Amino acid sequence: MNKNELHIRQILSGIPESPGVYRYYDAQGKILYVGKAVNLKRRVSSYFHKNHESARLRLLVSKIADIQYTLVATESEALLLENNFIKEFQPKYNVLLKDDKSYPWISIRKEYFPRVQLVRNPNLNDGSAYFGPYTSVGIVKEVFHMVKS
């Protein structure tokens, strides 16, 4: 076992079984990938305990020299933090969420006649009620359809 493999094993042994966001770095300290998990230990360990069919994934795993993670309270917080990290760092191996789009939310505006609408960048301080984030606009449209029925 080389020095890098030993380093990765030490990190893996200390990762808690909690929700959070993980980041993989190469030997130069450049961020390669950002991911989220309900159970960080299980998710991060899965990268190193499987034979991956995807050449892209095998290449990613071979380049990982360091792992960092951030614990959060809920899956929704992990979703948002992952989204923010991907937009900020633009990791090479994250193909989704690099554009300027954000996850959709449902907003019920704080108005005399409240509007219900889809928003991408919620202003959580405007007094409106927000529900989300959702991983798919299709899900939000389905919720709208159910509410209208």
Side-chain angles (χ1 to χ4, degrees):
M1 182 178 327
N2 67 34
K3 188 176 180 180
N4 187 53
E5 290 172 340
L6 183 60
H7 176 67
I8 295 296
R9 280 193 182 200
Q10 287 175 331
I11 293 170
L12 293 176
S13 69
I15 295 178
E17 294 183 4
S18 304
V21 175
Y22 57 93
R23 296 169 307 284
Y24 294 148
Y25 294 86
D26 67 13
Q28 290 74 42
K30 185 174 180 186
I31 194 162
L32 296 169
Y33 184 78
V34 173
K36 67 179 177 328
V38 174
N39 182 324
L40 278 171
K41 186 173 201 70
R42 191 175 331 131
R43 179 67 180 127
V44 173
S45 295
S46 74
Y47 281 88
F48 301 93
H49 298 300
K50 289 183 180 178
N51 290 327
H52 303 287
E53 291 181 24
S54 161
R56 181 177 175 86
L57 195 50
R58 284 193 307 270
L59 184 60
L60 165 65
V61 172
S62 74
K63 290 183 176 186
I64 297 171
D66 196 19
I67 303 168
Q68 294 181 6
Y69 57 89
T70 304
L71 300 177
V72 296
T74 66
E75 188 176 4
S76 292
E77 285 182 39
L79 190 72
L80 291 172
L81 186 58
E82 177 198 35
N83 185 23
N84 291 338
F85 280 162
I86 291 170
K87 286 183 182 355
E88 181 179 348
F89 298 115
Q90 299 283 308
K92 177 180 181 177
Y93 287 89
N94 286 92
V95 290
L96 300 176
L97 301 178
K98 279 189 177 180
D99 58 14
D100 61 351
K101 290 185 180 174
S102 298
Y103 286 110
W105 292 67
I106 294 174
S107 168
I108 301 176
R109 305 292 301 176
K110 185 178 181 181
E111 300 169 337
Y112 186 71
F113 292 108
R115 289 178 287 160
V116 179
Q117 57 192 159
L118 179 144
V119 296
R120 292 243 181 220
N121 296 306
N123 177 0
L124 301 176
N125 299 320
D126 69 358
S128 298
Y130 290 96
F131 302 93
Y134 295 91
T135 56
S136 159
V137 173
I139 292 171
V140 175
K141 289 181 179 179
E142 210 172 294
V143 170
F144 278 137
H145 179 73
M146 287 180 355
V147 170
K148 286 181 182 179
S149 299

